[in-house]
Amino acid sequence: MAGQDFDFCVSRRLFLAGSASAALMAGISPRLALASDRPALPIPAEMRADPAGTIKLSAQASTMNFLPGVATPTYGINGPYLGPALRVRRGDTVNMDVRNTLAEPVTMHWHGLEIPGDDDGGPAEAIAPGATWKPSLTIDQPAATCWFHPHYYPSTAELVLKGLAGLFIIEDDDTDRLPLPSTWGVDDIPIIIQDRRFNPDGSFFHRFNLAAVTVGYVGDTVLVNGAINPVASTAKGWLRLRLLNGSNARSYQLAFSDDRPFYVIASDGGLLAQPVRMNSLPLHAGERYEILVDARDGSAFDLVTSPVMQMAMNLPPFDQTLPVMTFSPDGAETEGTMPDALATLPPLSSSQDLQTQDLKFGMNLDAEGMGLFMKAGLPKMRAGGSTDPEIAKAVEQVILEGPDLTQEAQLSANNINGVSFALNKVNFDLPIDTDLRMVFSEGTDKMLHPVHVHGCQYRVVTVNGDPAPEYMQGWKDTAAISQGGTVEVQVRFKHPATAEKPYMAHCHILEHEDSGMMAAFTVS
Ligand code: C2O
Ligand code: CU
Ligand code: CU
């Protein structure tokens, strides 16, 4: 179905009762009460190229009522918040037509696509207010759930936070041959998870202070497709959930309230070899997984996120499990099912002497900065796992009131291989059509960095020296290093990127990306 606007009609039903809202903020255990005052899950409209092969996108300013009776200023793509779910097929060439109607510059990056640097929409491809950018994308990679968002330096975090992001779904014949659930919004359901925090006037909170460049943005409210704690009325059958962590920084540890198992069938860049049974799945900023969950018995269940240890501390609200949304499989029975085998993945190169590119993610917090942060409550945060209101208050203070940085300090707060990102500077060069090894590691801090590389889908070989867990063995473009760990990947770039329009490798914590933790590279 061709659709232009992100369908938000349903979300107008969003009247989160005070008690429910308070419960959500306090992070009490999930409940299954299908209160009539909860919003229905908004389903982004699918959008295909028009008969001329063009997809028209327009970044625009708007408002949304996330909270009862309060208008939040937002940005959206073809709608008030987020964007349509683009649908393209392997083998297609689509003409993108990206118009910027905002009062500030943007770029539009196709996250996960294997396309040349010229079409990639990185920081070098600014779209000025009123201008239109028209790259033509030739799709040649397996079916996958990718996404798109701005990449303007240094305001990506703010632009994405305000709502500029959407799904970019690639289809292919191999996937169509499988009996997977595939009715959009019925048993094939997009789940874009983001955390937000609201100022008293309803606007989104965002500040580039010490807390932001250190831990990234930490919200206190979870949105799914732009709705708070929504309910999805789905088919009574197998459900395919396309999970995207579209948050600026927060990681999730997803599970179902009744602990029912689910099956990971795809990662960032496409199908796994076979379904991987799990009960709990980590989802870091920028990552996607597709999972199948058996809802044939028709009983309702919640998607929840367990406490997450991130940046050597438990994120607020500490040891609480947060409800994300509820599934109510009360619709018609559907046919979609789980195949035993999904895709054939090429074997990894067995060569021991691949050219290696190291990416070491570091932070430049000086003693004074660190001292401020320590004084502001880091040791207390690190104590984590506590519901002590004192600690909660200290954490809130760091996030809300931590000292602001000058832009100069912001831009040099973080680095890769000791160098903070600079426009018009290439940090390294890689050969095209060559198997390469990349090693992501951390500097001195016990931080978390979801590492994303443009222009490719890589394969994770080891995590902290061990073979990658099964669910990470497929195509990936984002993989997290944490707690001083190391991730080793194998990759082969099929397209060139020039010094004028280089690819980026960066931390997908957008506040880290906007504060130096990004490197530009060419492929030739
Ligand atoms: Cu999703 Cu370089 O970004
Ligand atoms: Cu990307
Ligand atoms: Cu980071």
Side-chain angles (χ1 to χ4, degrees):
M1 291 296 296
Q4 286 76 41
D5 291 348
F6 193 174
D7 179 9
F8 266 103
C9 312
V10 282
S11 68
R12 303 237 162 77
R13 288 177 45 209
L14 194 157
F15 300 107
L16 201 64
S19 58
S21 170
L24 179 63
M25 305 299 175
I28 62 157
S29 3
R31 66 226 173 275
L32 288 168
L34 298 179
S36 56
D37 55 8
R38 289 175 58 192
L41 177 73
I43 301 295
E46 294 177 282
M47 183 179 187
R48 294 176 187 276
D50 67 16
T54 303
I55 291 181
K56 283 196 176 182
L57 301 177
S58 168
Q60 57 195 62
S62 189
T63 60
M64 272 282 286
N65 288 353
F66 299 99
L67 302 168
V70 193
T72 300
T74 54
Y75 287 171
I77 298 158
N78 300 5
Y81 184 76
L82 297 178
L86 309 184
R87 287 269 190 179
V88 301
R89 273 195 94 75
R90 183 171 199 169
D92 283 356
T93 295
V94 282
N95 309 312
M96 308 306 294
D97 184 302
V98 188
R99 189 165 143 67
N100 178 13
T101 73
L102 302 171
E104 61 177 310
V106 299
T107 79
M108 206 53 80
H109 167 60
W110 322 107
H111 178 134
L113 267 68
E114 297 176 85
I115 48 175
D118 281 350
D119 303 324
D120 186 58
E125 198 69 65
I127 313 171
T132 301
W133 177 51
K134 298 183 173 185
S136 162
L137 310 181
T138 298
I139 310 299
D140 186 18
Q141 65 190 93
T145 302
C146 296
W147 64 303
F148 61 103
H149 62 78
H151 221 293
Y152 190 76
Y153 172 82
S155 54
T156 296
E158 182 103 40
L159 293 166
V160 173
L161 185 99
K162 284 186 173 165
L164 296 181
L167 292 172
F168 194 114
I169 296 174
I170 300 172
E171 307 168 339
D172 68 10
D173 295 345
D174 293 341
T175 304
D176 285 355
R177 273 194 282 274
L178 296 170
L180 294 167
S182 54
T183 308
W184 188 244
V186 175
D187 62 4
D188 180 352
I189 301 168
I191 308 279
I192 304 171
I193 307 177
Q194 302 174 303
D195 65 332
R196 294 291 184 269
R197 180 184 292 269
F198 295 89
N199 292 316
D201 67 358
S203 59
F204 286 136
F205 171 85
H206 196 246
R207 267 182 73 186
F208 244 115
N209 61 12
L210 205 48
V213 295
T214 313
V215 298
Y217 183 84
V218 182
D220 58 8
T221 303
V222 179
L223 304 184
V224 184
N225 300 349
I228 300 171
N229 201 17
V231 180
S233 287
T234 70
K236 188 172 169 182
W238 281 94
L239 304 180
R240 174 188 193 172
L241 309 182
R242 297 179 189 258
L243 305 168
L244 159 64
N245 183 346
S247 308
N248 282 30
R250 185 187 276 268
S251 298
Y252 302 89
Q253 184 71 42
L254 298 173
F256 292 108
S257 49
D258 55 6
D259 205 36
R260 69 178 63 196
F262 54 87
Y263 299 82
V264 181
I265 57 165
S267 53
D268 304 329
L271 291 171
L272 302 182
Q274 65 267 318
V276 177
R277 187 182 200 266
M278 296 181 82
N279 289 79
S280 181
L281 174 71
L283 187 69
H284 302 288
E287 282 189 311
R288 290 87 64 211
Y289 285 103
E290 292 179 34
I291 66 174
L292 289 182
V293 57
D294 186 352
R296 286 177 295 182
D297 71 1
S299 64
F301 55 100
D302 287 355
L303 177 65
V304 302
T305 179
S306 321
V308 168
M309 188 78 174
Q310 182 169 340
M311 307 305 174
M313 67 180 212
N314 277 344
L315 290 184
F318 306 113
D319 58 353
Q320 304 290 305
T321 291
L322 277 178
V324 174
M325 63 174 290
T326 297
F327 290 92
S328 180
D330 46 16
E333 291 182 21
T334 41
E335 306 274 88
T337 186
M338 183 170 68
D340 296 332
L342 297 166
T344 308
L345 297 171
L348 297 169
S349 164
S350 55
S351 163
Q352 291 310 297
D353 51 355
L354 298 180
Q355 178 180 330
T356 298
Q357 176 66 48
D358 286 306
L359 295 178
K360 191 166 180 185
F361 293 74
M363 311 190 79
N364 298 341
L365 276 183
D366 57 8
E368 194 190 356
M370 204 59 203
L372 271 172
F373 205 68
M374 297 297 278
K375 221 168 78 195
L378 188 63
K380 285 182 178 173
M381 287 191 267
R382 284 199 166 146
S386 164
T387 47
D388 181 341
E390 283 295 299
I391 297 179
K393 222 175 98 199
V395 172
E396 292 296 300
Q397 260 172 19
V398 181
I399 293 168
L400 298 173
E401 297 157 24
D404 269 324
L405 303 177
T406 60
Q407 190 172 73
E408 195 192 346
Q410 175 197 319
L411 299 187
S412 61
N414 293 309
N415 67 68
I416 292 179
N417 296 338
V419 181
S420 296
F421 179 79
L423 273 175
N424 307 319
K425 192 175 140 196
V426 171
N427 299 86
F428 54 92
D429 304 289
L430 294 176
I432 197 165
D433 287 330
T434 308
D435 287 326
L436 304 168
R437 175 182 288 123
M438 295 180 105
V439 180
F440 313 148
S441 65
E442 259 211 290
T444 48
D445 306 290
K446 298 215 175 304
M447 305 301 263
L448 177 135
H449 307 295
V451 180
H452 171 51
V453 182
H454 287 206
C456 68
Q457 286 293 333
Y458 54 65
R459 302 279 296 282
V460 180
V461 185
T462 62
V463 176
N464 301 336
D466 296 325
E470 226 186 321
Y471 73 96
M472 287 178 75
Q473 286 180 13
W475 297 112
K476 294 279 292 163
D477 56 49
T478 308
I481 46 172
S482 67
Q483 308 290 321
T486 300
V487 167
E488 176 199 11
V489 307
Q490 252 184 42
V491 63
R492 190 181 179 97
F493 291 90
K494 299 179 198 143
H495 302 281
T498 63
E500 289 69 44
K501 301 286 167 63
Y503 287 141
M504 299 292 136
H506 61 93
C507 176
H508 220 286
I509 287 180
L510 301 180
E511 288 74 23
H512 286 179
E513 170 181 337
D514 280 345
S515 61
M517 203 172 271
M518 178 156 68
F521 65 100
T522 65
V523 171
S524 60

